[in-house]
Amino acid sequence: MEPTWFKLYPLLLEGTKITAQVAGLSAVLTLIISAAAGLCRVSGFAPVRAAAKVYVDFFRSSSLLVLLFWIYFALPFAGIELPKLAAAVLAISLNCGAYGAEIVRSSILAVPKGQYEAAVALNLNPTQTMWRVIFPQAFLRMLPPLGNLLIELLKSTSLIYFITMSDLTYEAMILRNNYYSWTPQIFLLLLVIYFILAAIVTTIVRLLERRFAAWR
Amino acid sequence: MWSWDYVISILPDLLRAFRVTIAATLAGFAVAAVFGLLLAVLGRSGWKPLRLAVRAFVEFVRSTPLLVQVFFLYYSVPMLTGLSLPAFATGVIGLGIHYSTYMSEVYRSGIDGVPKGQWEAASALNLTKTRTWLSVILPQAIPPVIPVMGNYLIVIFKETPILSAITLVEMLLTAKNTASVTYRVFEPYTMVGVIFLVISYAMSLVVMRFEKRLRR
């Protein structure tokens, strides 16, 4: 059966909405986890540092797809049943958060020592030092790598196809079943849509970068 | 709930599948290393259109999901060219092309690290372009970036489960098949998760040691 581009459009739009939803929720949770775990990694309290390191090592070493399978298919056998959206967001955020934590940590460590000394000289307490002096400077360094991380996050949302969430990839597979002869066109279109979504993320990060660089 | 007898009964299957995972990882890494080098060198071509084409290719491949690329290779390329490859070869090429774009950036940083004087010396000695690359630049550019390439070996290893989508019988698909026969999901998925965790973590320790030794 020969489709027209217009016949492809509604399903792909539905898929894009799901992909954007999962990506958006995961991005928010990833940034929260990254900041929390990254700050814990530079904490003065050794047990907190160690716990954060265990978290980072654990999730950086595990395979995201296997993690997603485990959370969605295996966890119910342990009595924890999560809806698809929650399982997807949780798996992606825990995984990306571990990478984000390393970005936060290395950016904080890259702030020159003199800044800490200056904060001590001004008699700021550790919380004030972090929030008023160190973090704002580290934040600017974090933006480019966090932008890359968000692209990786966006790409990884395609894996939710495996738990039959009707995201972009899943809808494209349905379209492919219906219009088999258009397989190459459908996948090319799919790649282009992901590329456009990634370009949107890149543009937003660039705008933020410029804004914060100017604000400094 | 957890049955060790069952775990032991599925171990032989998982180990067989582990070999497939490792073979796909190593082959994918080899393709990525070779093709990435090609991209890095071509990206420095004196001919602007070629440079731009390489840049566009790298941007596009890096911003789109590996899963969709693998689908494209597996389902669309045979329809476009009449040439169909088995799942393993397709998966290896998919992994290889995807990570060659990351690898080209790694090589690029290595090439940028070679002092300008080396290029000048090569042209002073009247070496051909090929000779300059092979005998002067690459021997200095590649060794420092080998540990970073090791990180991509780990990344590729963790991405192999995606190839289960094109029926490559690696660990995840084996676990899935086992689970669909026995209706026991918890053990197989947990085992696969643990294997990925342990191997990736061990590999990352090796890479870290390698990095430290190189830095000295």
Side-chain angles (χ1 to χ4, degrees), chain A residues 58 60-61 63 65 69-70 74 77 99 152 155 158 162 176 180 183-184 187 190-191 194, chain B residues 1 62-65 67-68 75-76 79 98 102 158 161 165 185-186 189-190 196-197 200:
Chain A
F58 186 91
R60 283 214 312 175
S61 299
S63 168
L65 183 54
F69 262 67
W70 196 82
F77 285 79
Y99 290 92
E152 297 296 325
K155 291 193 298 176
S158 66
F162 284 92
R176 178 180 167 264
Y180 185 74
T183 301
F187 283 134
L190 187 59
L191 287 170
Y194 274 111
Chain B
M1 177 185 63
R62 275 187 67 137
S63 327
T64 50
L67 176 64
V68 180
Y75 296 119
S76 303
M79 290 179 75
H98 192 81
Y102 289 78
K158 290 186 300 176
V185 173
F186 199 68
Y189 287 158
T190 306
F196 270 102
L197 193 67
S200 317

mmCIF file of all heavy atoms in Angstrom, chain A residues 58 60-61 63 65 69-70 74 77 99 152 155 158 162 176 180 183-184 187 190-191 194, chain B residues 1 62-65 67-68 75-76 79 98 102 158 161 165 185-186 189-190 196-197 200:
data_model
loop_
_atom_site.group_PDB
_atom_site.id
_atom_site.type_symbol
_atom_site.label_atom_id
_atom_site.label_comp_id
_atom_site.label_asym_id
_atom_site.label_seq_id
_atom_site.Cartn_x
_atom_site.Cartn_y
_atom_site.Cartn_z
ATOM 1 N N PHE A 58 27.925 2.522 39.932
ATOM 2 C CA PHE A 58 26.916 1.504 39.640
ATOM 3 C C PHE A 58 26.201 1.809 38.335
ATOM 4 O O PHE A 58 26.119 0.977 37.439
ATOM 5 C CB PHE A 58 25.903 1.418 40.786
ATOM 6 C CG PHE A 58 24.913 0.297 40.624
ATOM 7 C CD1 PHE A 58 25.170 -0.960 41.159
ATOM 8 C CD2 PHE A 58 23.721 0.488 39.936
ATOM 9 C CE1 PHE A 58 24.271 -1.997 41.004
ATOM 10 C CE2 PHE A 58 22.808 -0.553 39.770
ATOM 11 C CZ PHE A 58 23.088 -1.793 40.308
ATOM 12 N N ARG A 60 26.929 4.063 35.975
ATOM 13 C CA ARG A 60 27.750 4.252 34.788
ATOM 14 C C ARG A 60 28.184 2.910 34.221
ATOM 15 O O ARG A 60 28.469 2.791 33.030
ATOM 16 C CB ARG A 60 28.986 5.094 35.117
ATOM 17 C CG ARG A 60 28.642 6.557 35.240
ATOM 18 C CD ARG A 60 29.734 7.450 34.773
ATOM 19 N NE ARG A 60 31.031 7.101 35.314
ATOM 20 C CZ ARG A 60 32.135 7.709 34.960
ATOM 21 N NH1 ARG A 60 32.099 8.674 34.079
ATOM 22 N NH2 ARG A 60 33.273 7.358 35.497
ATOM 23 N N SER A 61 28.263 1.892 35.087
ATOM 24 C CA SER A 61 28.734 0.593 34.620
ATOM 25 C C SER A 61 27.603 -0.284 34.105
ATOM 26 O O SER A 61 27.846 -1.339 33.539
ATOM 27 C CB SER A 61 29.464 -0.147 35.740
ATOM 28 O OG SER A 61 30.580 0.582 36.151
ATOM 29 N N SER A 63 24.264 -1.280 31.786
ATOM 30 C CA SER A 63 23.753 -1.014 30.445
ATOM 31 C C SER A 63 22.331 -0.479 30.568
ATOM 32 O O SER A 63 21.489 -1.088 31.228
ATOM 33 C CB SER A 63 23.771 -2.313 29.645
ATOM 34 O OG SER A 63 23.035 -2.164 28.465
ATOM 35 N N LEU A 65 19.761 -0.269 28.564
ATOM 36 C CA LEU A 65 18.655 -1.102 28.093
ATOM 37 C C LEU A 65 18.380 -2.246 29.070
ATOM 38 O O LEU A 65 17.226 -2.558 29.377
ATOM 39 C CB LEU A 65 18.961 -1.656 26.693
ATOM 40 C CG LEU A 65 17.841 -2.480 26.069
ATOM 41 C CD1 LEU A 65 16.528 -1.723 26.044
ATOM 42 C CD2 LEU A 65 18.216 -2.918 24.662
ATOM 43 N N PHE A 69 14.952 -2.935 31.175
ATOM 44 C CA PHE A 69 14.304 -4.258 31.216
ATOM 45 C C PHE A 69 14.129 -4.708 32.656
ATOM 46 O O PHE A 69 13.103 -5.241 33.045
ATOM 47 C CB PHE A 69 15.164 -5.288 30.475
ATOM 48 C CG PHE A 69 14.714 -5.531 29.073
ATOM 49 C CD1 PHE A 69 14.823 -4.541 28.119
ATOM 50 C CD2 PHE A 69 14.172 -6.749 28.697
ATOM 51 C CE1 PHE A 69 14.404 -4.759 26.822
ATOM 52 C CE2 PHE A 69 13.747 -6.983 27.402
ATOM 53 C CZ PHE A 69 13.869 -5.983 26.462
ATOM 54 N N TRP A 70 15.175 -4.513 33.423
ATOM 55 C CA TRP A 70 15.149 -4.990 34.802
ATOM 56 C C TRP A 70 14.080 -4.243 35.589
ATOM 57 O O TRP A 70 13.271 -4.857 36.286
ATOM 58 C CB TRP A 70 16.538 -4.811 35.439
ATOM 59 C CG TRP A 70 16.687 -5.610 36.676
ATOM 60 C CD1 TRP A 70 17.011 -6.935 36.752
ATOM 61 C CD2 TRP A 70 16.488 -5.162 38.014
ATOM 62 N NE1 TRP A 70 17.021 -7.330 38.053
ATOM 63 C CE2 TRP A 70 16.708 -6.276 38.869
ATOM 64 C CE3 TRP A 70 16.150 -3.937 38.589
ATOM 65 C CZ2 TRP A 70 16.605 -6.201 40.244
ATOM 66 C CZ3 TRP A 70 16.045 -3.860 39.954
ATOM 67 C CH2 TRP A 70 16.267 -4.983 40.777
ATOM 68 N N ALA A 74 11.531 -7.151 35.452
ATOM 69 C CA ALA A 74 11.971 -8.003 36.558
ATOM 70 C C ALA A 74 11.470 -7.508 37.909
ATOM 71 O O ALA A 74 11.065 -8.314 38.750
ATOM 72 C CB ALA A 74 13.496 -8.107 36.561
ATOM 73 N N PHE A 77 8.415 -8.865 39.809
ATOM 74 C CA PHE A 77 8.563 -10.146 40.500
ATOM 75 C C PHE A 77 9.044 -9.947 41.929
ATOM 76 O O PHE A 77 8.936 -10.833 42.755
ATOM 77 C CB PHE A 77 9.525 -11.066 39.744
ATOM 78 C CG PHE A 77 8.901 -11.650 38.525
ATOM 79 C CD1 PHE A 77 8.782 -10.902 37.365
ATOM 80 C CD2 PHE A 77 8.392 -12.946 38.534
ATOM 81 C CE1 PHE A 77 8.177 -11.428 36.244
ATOM 82 C CE2 PHE A 77 7.784 -13.480 37.414
ATOM 83 C CZ PHE A 77 7.672 -12.717 36.266
ATOM 84 N N TYR A 99 26.187 10.139 34.851
ATOM 85 C CA TYR A 99 27.126 10.869 34.001
ATOM 86 C C TYR A 99 27.111 12.356 34.355
ATOM 87 O O TYR A 99 28.147 13.011 34.408
ATOM 88 C CB TYR A 99 26.775 10.673 32.520
ATOM 89 C CG TYR A 99 27.043 9.273 32.035
ATOM 90 C CD1 TYR A 99 26.046 8.310 32.073
ATOM 91 C CD2 TYR A 99 28.294 8.914 31.578
ATOM 92 C CE1 TYR A 99 26.294 7.008 31.646
ATOM 93 C CE2 TYR A 99 28.554 7.619 31.151
ATOM 94 C CZ TYR A 99 27.540 6.679 31.195
ATOM 95 O OH TYR A 99 27.799 5.399 30.787
ATOM 96 N N GLU A 152 22.430 12.858 24.470
ATOM 97 C CA GLU A 152 22.495 11.420 24.734
ATOM 98 C C GLU A 152 21.186 10.938 25.351
ATOM 99 O O GLU A 152 20.677 9.870 25.027
ATOM 100 C CB GLU A 152 23.657 11.083 25.687
ATOM 101 C CG GLU A 152 25.040 11.401 25.139
ATOM 102 C CD GLU A 152 25.392 10.561 23.914
ATOM 103 O OE1 GLU A 152 24.989 9.390 23.866
ATOM 104 O OE2 GLU A 152 26.039 11.097 23.005
ATOM 105 N N LYS A 155 18.487 10.675 22.717
ATOM 106 C CA LYS A 155 18.673 9.484 21.894
ATOM 107 C C LYS A 155 18.269 8.232 22.662
ATOM 108 O O LYS A 155 17.693 7.304 22.104
ATOM 109 C CB LYS A 155 20.131 9.356 21.454
ATOM 110 C CG LYS A 155 20.548 10.422 20.473
ATOM 111 C CD LYS A 155 21.862 10.089 19.828
ATOM 112 C CE LYS A 155 22.988 10.007 20.830
ATOM 113 N NZ LYS A 155 24.251 9.587 20.225
ATOM 114 N N SER A 158 14.765 6.471 22.749
ATOM 115 C CA SER A 158 14.301 5.517 21.734
ATOM 116 C C SER A 158 14.220 4.096 22.308
ATOM 117 O O SER A 158 13.499 3.257 21.782
ATOM 118 C CB SER A 158 15.219 5.542 20.513
ATOM 119 O OG SER A 158 16.495 5.056 20.846
ATOM 120 N N PHE A 162 11.331 -0.644 23.491
ATOM 121 C CA PHE A 162 11.430 -2.035 23.952
ATOM 122 C C PHE A 162 10.377 -2.386 25.005
ATOM 123 O O PHE A 162 10.030 -3.541 25.154
ATOM 124 C CB PHE A 162 12.822 -2.314 24.547
ATOM 125 C CG PHE A 162 13.898 -2.485 23.515
ATOM 126 C CD1 PHE A 162 14.651 -1.406 23.089
ATOM 127 C CD2 PHE A 162 14.181 -3.728 22.974
ATOM 128 C CE1 PHE A 162 15.663 -1.569 22.148
ATOM 129 C CE2 PHE A 162 15.180 -3.895 22.042
ATOM 130 C CZ PHE A 162 15.925 -2.817 21.623
ATOM 131 N N ARG A 176 5.683 1.208 9.617
ATOM 132 C CA ARG A 176 6.425 0.321 8.721
ATOM 133 C C ARG A 176 5.632 -0.961 8.455
ATOM 134 O O ARG A 176 5.623 -1.474 7.340
ATOM 135 C CB ARG A 176 7.773 -0.012 9.349
ATOM 136 C CG ARG A 176 8.564 -0.955 8.505
ATOM 137 C CD ARG A 176 9.904 -1.292 9.107
ATOM 138 N NE ARG A 176 10.441 -2.423 8.377
ATOM 139 C CZ ARG A 176 10.318 -3.672 8.772
ATOM 140 N NH1 ARG A 176 9.708 -3.969 9.893
ATOM 141 N NH2 ARG A 176 10.816 -4.644 8.032
ATOM 142 N N TYR A 180 4.738 -1.231 4.204
ATOM 143 C CA TYR A 180 6.021 -1.917 4.153
ATOM 144 C C TYR A 180 6.955 -1.352 3.076
ATOM 145 O O TYR A 180 8.150 -1.196 3.312
ATOM 146 C CB TYR A 180 5.806 -3.409 3.915
ATOM 147 C CG TYR A 180 7.072 -4.189 3.980
ATOM 148 C CD1 TYR A 180 7.682 -4.435 5.212
ATOM 149 C CD2 TYR A 180 7.700 -4.638 2.817
ATOM 150 C CE1 TYR A 180 8.866 -5.130 5.278
ATOM 151 C CE2 TYR A 180 8.882 -5.331 2.881
ATOM 152 C CZ TYR A 180 9.466 -5.571 4.116
ATOM 153 O OH TYR A 180 10.650 -6.240 4.181
ATOM 154 N N THR A 183 9.407 1.492 3.905
ATOM 155 C CA THR A 183 10.353 1.322 5.013
ATOM 156 C C THR A 183 11.520 2.319 4.978
ATOM 157 O O THR A 183 11.779 2.994 5.980
ATOM 158 C CB THR A 183 10.888 -0.122 5.033
ATOM 159 O OG1 THR A 183 9.780 -1.006 5.172
ATOM 160 C CG2 THR A 183 11.849 -0.347 6.182
ATOM 161 N N PRO A 184 12.233 2.446 3.837
ATOM 162 C CA PRO A 184 13.375 3.376 3.847
ATOM 163 C C PRO A 184 12.966 4.811 4.147
ATOM 164 O O PRO A 184 13.608 5.490 4.952
ATOM 165 C CB PRO A 184 13.933 3.263 2.420
ATOM 166 C CG PRO A 184 13.448 1.951 1.916
ATOM 167 C CD PRO A 184 12.109 1.732 2.556
ATOM 168 N N PHE A 187 12.079 5.298 7.952
ATOM 169 C CA PHE A 187 13.234 5.362 8.859
ATOM 170 C C PHE A 187 14.057 6.626 8.627
ATOM 171 O O PHE A 187 14.594 7.203 9.573
ATOM 172 C CB PHE A 187 14.104 4.112 8.729
ATOM 173 C CG PHE A 187 13.522 2.919 9.428
ATOM 174 C CD1 PHE A 187 13.482 1.683 8.816
ATOM 175 C CD2 PHE A 187 13.012 3.040 10.714
ATOM 176 C CE1 PHE A 187 12.938 0.587 9.462
ATOM 177 C CE2 PHE A 187 12.468 1.954 11.359
ATOM 178 C CZ PHE A 187 12.428 0.719 10.741
ATOM 179 N N LEU A 190 12.310 9.313 10.314
ATOM 180 C CA LEU A 190 12.506 9.151 11.754
ATOM 181 C C LEU A 190 13.850 9.737 12.187
ATOM 182 O O LEU A 190 13.940 10.472 13.176
ATOM 183 C CB LEU A 190 12.427 7.658 12.083
ATOM 184 C CG LEU A 190 12.450 7.263 13.547
ATOM 185 C CD1 LEU A 190 11.286 7.897 14.280
ATOM 186 C CD2 LEU A 190 12.373 5.751 13.675
ATOM 187 N N LEU A 191 14.903 9.409 11.415
ATOM 188 C CA LEU A 191 16.229 9.950 11.738
ATOM 189 C C LEU A 191 16.217 11.478 11.682
ATOM 190 O O LEU A 191 16.771 12.142 12.558
ATOM 191 C CB LEU A 191 17.278 9.401 10.754
ATOM 192 C CG LEU A 191 17.667 7.932 10.933
ATOM 193 C CD1 LEU A 191 18.509 7.443 9.767
ATOM 194 C CD2 LEU A 191 18.438 7.743 12.233
ATOM 195 N N TYR A 194 14.501 12.955 14.780
ATOM 196 C CA TYR A 194 15.389 12.934 15.949
ATOM 197 C C TYR A 194 16.465 14.007 15.821
ATOM 198 O O TYR A 194 16.831 14.655 16.800
ATOM 199 C CB TYR A 194 16.046 11.560 16.117
ATOM 200 C CG TYR A 194 15.211 10.583 16.905
ATOM 201 C CD1 TYR A 194 14.637 9.470 16.294
ATOM 202 C CD2 TYR A 194 14.986 10.762 18.268
ATOM 203 C CE1 TYR A 194 13.866 8.569 17.017
ATOM 204 C CE2 TYR A 194 14.218 9.879 18.993
ATOM 205 C CZ TYR A 194 13.663 8.775 18.368
ATOM 206 O OH TYR A 194 12.906 7.899 19.084
ATOM 207 N N MET B 1 11.830 -16.916 46.252
ATOM 208 C CA MET B 1 11.600 -16.294 44.943
ATOM 209 C C MET B 1 12.814 -16.512 44.024
ATOM 210 O O MET B 1 12.686 -16.924 42.888
ATOM 211 C CB MET B 1 11.353 -14.809 45.165
ATOM 212 C CG MET B 1 11.170 -14.026 43.897
ATOM 213 S SD MET B 1 11.027 -12.263 44.266
ATOM 214 C CE MET B 1 12.640 -11.915 44.976
ATOM 215 N N ARG B 62 25.746 11.512 15.292
ATOM 216 C CA ARG B 62 25.824 11.675 16.745
ATOM 217 C C ARG B 62 24.512 12.116 17.354
ATOM 218 O O ARG B 62 24.288 11.920 18.540
ATOM 219 C CB ARG B 62 26.897 12.719 17.106
ATOM 220 C CG ARG B 62 28.269 12.135 17.192
ATOM 221 C CD ARG B 62 29.212 13.174 17.718
ATOM 222 N NE ARG B 62 28.922 13.504 19.103
ATOM 223 C CZ ARG B 62 29.825 13.657 20.038
ATOM 224 N NH1 ARG B 62 31.078 13.524 19.741
ATOM 225 N NH2 ARG B 62 29.489 13.966 21.260
ATOM 226 N N SER B 63 23.649 12.782 16.566
ATOM 227 C CA SER B 63 22.409 13.305 17.143
ATOM 228 C C SER B 63 21.226 12.361 16.965
ATOM 229 O O SER B 63 20.124 12.718 17.344
ATOM 230 C CB SER B 63 22.030 14.647 16.529
ATOM 231 O OG SER B 63 23.140 15.380 16.198
ATOM 232 N N THR B 64 21.423 11.214 16.345
ATOM 233 C CA THR B 64 20.286 10.314 16.152
ATOM 234 C C THR B 64 20.545 8.984 16.867
ATOM 235 O O THR B 64 21.690 8.581 17.038
ATOM 236 C CB THR B 64 20.028 10.081 14.654
ATOM 237 O OG1 THR B 64 21.241 9.712 14.026
ATOM 238 C CG2 THR B 64 19.510 11.344 13.988
ATOM 239 N N PRO B 65 19.452 8.323 17.303
ATOM 240 C CA PRO B 65 19.637 7.130 18.144
ATOM 241 C C PRO B 65 20.240 5.947 17.392
ATOM 242 O O PRO B 65 19.891 5.701 16.234
ATOM 243 C CB PRO B 65 18.215 6.774 18.587
ATOM 244 C CG PRO B 65 17.368 7.936 18.260
ATOM 245 C CD PRO B 65 18.030 8.661 17.140
ATOM 246 N N LEU B 67 19.618 2.883 17.930
ATOM 247 C CA LEU B 67 18.551 1.913 17.640
ATOM 248 C C LEU B 67 17.940 2.172 16.270
ATOM 249 O O LEU B 67 17.762 1.246 15.465
ATOM 250 C CB LEU B 67 17.471 1.982 18.727
ATOM 251 C CG LEU B 67 16.239 1.102 18.506
ATOM 252 C CD1 LEU B 67 16.604 -0.374 18.530
ATOM 253 C CD2 LEU B 67 15.161 1.394 19.542
ATOM 254 N N VAL B 68 17.635 3.443 15.984
ATOM 255 C CA VAL B 68 17.000 3.780 14.709
ATOM 256 C C VAL B 68 17.979 3.558 13.558
ATOM 257 O O VAL B 68 17.609 3.074 12.486
ATOM 258 C CB VAL B 68 16.490 5.234 14.733
ATOM 259 C CG1 VAL B 68 15.826 5.585 13.417
ATOM 260 C CG2 VAL B 68 15.517 5.438 15.874
ATOM 261 N N TYR B 75 16.653 -2.929 7.970
ATOM 262 C CA TYR B 75 15.425 -3.049 7.193
ATOM 263 C C TYR B 75 15.431 -2.233 5.908
ATOM 264 O O TYR B 75 14.821 -2.635 4.927
ATOM 265 C CB TYR B 75 14.217 -2.639 8.045
ATOM 266 C CG TYR B 75 13.991 -3.541 9.230
ATOM 267 C CD1 TYR B 75 14.038 -3.045 10.528
ATOM 268 C CD2 TYR B 75 13.714 -4.903 9.054
ATOM 269 C CE1 TYR B 75 13.823 -3.865 11.611
ATOM 270 C CE2 TYR B 75 13.508 -5.727 10.139
ATOM 271 C CZ TYR B 75 13.562 -5.213 11.422
ATOM 272 O OH TYR B 75 13.357 -6.028 12.490
ATOM 273 N N SER B 76 16.079 -1.066 5.927
ATOM 274 C CA SER B 76 15.983 -0.194 4.756
ATOM 275 C C SER B 76 17.070 -0.464 3.728
ATOM 276 O O SER B 76 16.793 -0.471 2.532
ATOM 277 C CB SER B 76 16.066 1.278 5.162
ATOM 278 O OG SER B 76 15.073 1.576 6.083
ATOM 279 N N MET B 79 16.347 -3.019 1.139
ATOM 280 C CA MET B 79 15.330 -2.608 0.174
ATOM 281 C C MET B 79 15.891 -1.602 -0.827
ATOM 282 O O MET B 79 15.456 -1.551 -1.969
ATOM 283 C CB MET B 79 14.131 -1.992 0.900
ATOM 284 C CG MET B 79 13.339 -3.027 1.669
ATOM 285 S SD MET B 79 11.955 -2.291 2.542
ATOM 286 C CE MET B 79 10.823 -1.997 1.193
ATOM 287 N N HIS B 98 28.208 4.358 14.309
ATOM 288 C CA HIS B 98 27.751 5.282 15.352
ATOM 289 C C HIS B 98 28.930 5.776 16.187
ATOM 290 O O HIS B 98 29.110 6.975 16.383
ATOM 291 C CB HIS B 98 26.724 4.594 16.247
ATOM 292 C CG HIS B 98 25.995 5.530 17.150
ATOM 293 N ND1 HIS B 98 24.927 6.282 16.728
ATOM 294 C CD2 HIS B 98 26.196 5.867 18.444
ATOM 295 C CE1 HIS B 98 24.504 7.027 17.723
ATOM 296 N NE2 HIS B 98 25.250 6.800 18.776
ATOM 297 N N TYR B 102 32.075 9.427 17.413
ATOM 298 C CA TYR B 102 32.642 9.809 18.718
ATOM 299 C C TYR B 102 34.161 9.652 18.680
ATOM 300 O O TYR B 102 34.903 10.481 19.195
ATOM 301 C CB TYR B 102 32.085 8.911 19.825
ATOM 302 C CG TYR B 102 30.638 9.153 20.151
ATOM 303 C CD1 TYR B 102 29.622 8.657 19.346
ATOM 304 C CD2 TYR B 102 30.279 9.880 21.275
ATOM 305 C CE1 TYR B 102 28.302 8.875 19.643
ATOM 306 C CE2 TYR B 102 28.952 10.103 21.587
ATOM 307 C CZ TYR B 102 27.966 9.598 20.766
ATOM 308 O OH TYR B 102 26.652 9.814 21.063
ATOM 309 N N LYS B 158 28.293 -1.838 26.470
ATOM 310 C CA LYS B 158 27.005 -1.621 27.136
ATOM 311 C C LYS B 158 25.863 -1.396 26.143
ATOM 312 O O LYS B 158 24.699 -1.518 26.511
ATOM 313 C CB LYS B 158 27.108 -0.422 28.088
ATOM 314 C CG LYS B 158 27.973 -0.736 29.303
ATOM 315 C CD LYS B 158 27.950 0.404 30.294
ATOM 316 C CE LYS B 158 28.465 1.675 29.663
ATOM 317 N NZ LYS B 158 28.377 2.819 30.570
ATOM 318 N N PRO B 161 23.206 -4.715 23.849
ATOM 319 C CA PRO B 161 21.846 -5.250 24.009
ATOM 320 C C PRO B 161 20.839 -4.653 23.024
ATOM 321 O O PRO B 161 19.840 -5.292 22.707
ATOM 322 C CB PRO B 161 21.478 -4.873 25.449
ATOM 323 C CG PRO B 161 22.763 -4.732 26.149
ATOM 324 C CD PRO B 161 23.729 -4.216 25.136
ATOM 325 N N ALA B 165 17.213 -6.024 19.163
ATOM 326 C CA ALA B 165 16.062 -5.570 18.376
ATOM 327 C C ALA B 165 16.116 -6.071 16.936
ATOM 328 O O ALA B 165 15.088 -6.177 16.276
ATOM 329 C CB ALA B 165 15.980 -4.043 18.387
ATOM 330 N N VAL B 185 11.307 -14.351 34.971
ATOM 331 C CA VAL B 185 11.988 -13.196 34.405
ATOM 332 C C VAL B 185 13.091 -12.692 35.317
ATOM 333 O O VAL B 185 14.132 -12.244 34.872
ATOM 334 C CB VAL B 185 10.960 -12.068 34.160
ATOM 335 C CG1 VAL B 185 11.637 -10.797 33.730
ATOM 336 C CG2 VAL B 185 9.959 -12.506 33.122
ATOM 337 N N PHE B 186 12.847 -12.803 36.616
ATOM 338 C CA PHE B 186 13.698 -12.127 37.577
ATOM 339 C C PHE B 186 15.167 -12.561 37.477
ATOM 340 O O PHE B 186 16.057 -11.713 37.358
ATOM 341 C CB PHE B 186 13.167 -12.367 38.995
ATOM 342 C CG PHE B 186 13.686 -11.379 39.983
ATOM 343 C CD1 PHE B 186 13.306 -10.043 39.906
ATOM 344 C CD2 PHE B 186 14.562 -11.771 40.976
ATOM 345 C CE1 PHE B 186 13.789 -9.117 40.813
ATOM 346 C CE2 PHE B 186 15.045 -10.840 41.890
ATOM 347 C CZ PHE B 186 14.657 -9.526 41.814
ATOM 348 N N TYR B 189 17.161 -11.659 33.871
ATOM 349 C CA TYR B 189 17.460 -10.239 33.693
ATOM 350 C C TYR B 189 18.444 -9.745 34.743
ATOM 351 O O TYR B 189 19.315 -8.916 34.459
ATOM 352 C CB TYR B 189 16.178 -9.401 33.716
ATOM 353 C CG TYR B 189 15.342 -9.552 32.467
ATOM 354 C CD1 TYR B 189 13.993 -9.259 32.453
ATOM 355 C CD2 TYR B 189 15.922 -10.008 31.288
ATOM 356 C CE1 TYR B 189 13.223 -9.405 31.307
ATOM 357 C CE2 TYR B 189 15.171 -10.167 30.135
ATOM 358 C CZ TYR B 189 13.822 -9.867 30.150
ATOM 359 O OH TYR B 189 13.081 -10.019 29.016
ATOM 360 N N THR B 190 18.299 -10.241 35.968
ATOM 361 C CA THR B 190 19.239 -9.834 37.013
ATOM 362 C C THR B 190 20.647 -10.322 36.662
ATOM 363 O O THR B 190 21.620 -9.564 36.785
ATOM 364 C CB THR B 190 18.804 -10.395 38.373
ATOM 365 O OG1 THR B 190 17.456 -10.007 38.614
ATOM 366 C CG2 THR B 190 19.696 -9.889 39.484
ATOM 367 N N PHE B 196 26.855 -7.363 33.035
ATOM 368 C CA PHE B 196 27.243 -6.082 32.432
ATOM 369 C C PHE B 196 27.926 -5.189 33.450
ATOM 370 O O PHE B 196 28.945 -4.555 33.175
ATOM 371 C CB PHE B 196 26.021 -5.359 31.837
ATOM 372 C CG PHE B 196 25.784 -5.726 30.406
ATOM 373 C CD1 PHE B 196 24.796 -6.628 30.064
ATOM 374 C CD2 PHE B 196 26.585 -5.200 29.410
ATOM 375 C CE1 PHE B 196 24.595 -6.991 28.739
ATOM 376 C CE2 PHE B 196 26.393 -5.551 28.084
ATOM 377 C CZ PHE B 196 25.392 -6.454 27.749
ATOM 378 N N LEU B 197 27.359 -5.140 34.647
ATOM 379 C CA LEU B 197 27.889 -4.292 35.708
ATOM 380 C C LEU B 197 29.328 -4.672 36.036
ATOM 381 O O LEU B 197 30.227 -3.823 36.053
ATOM 382 C CB LEU B 197 26.997 -4.454 36.949
ATOM 383 C CG LEU B 197 27.162 -3.455 38.059
ATOM 384 C CD1 LEU B 197 26.708 -2.094 37.574
ATOM 385 C CD2 LEU B 197 26.327 -3.881 39.260
ATOM 386 N N SER B 200 31.824 -4.150 32.946
ATOM 387 C CA SER B 200 32.086 -2.735 32.648
ATOM 388 C C SER B 200 32.906 -2.090 33.745
ATOM 389 O O SER B 200 33.802 -1.298 33.466
ATOM 390 C CB SER B 200 30.804 -1.916 32.511
ATOM 391 O OG SER B 200 29.849 -2.575 31.797
#
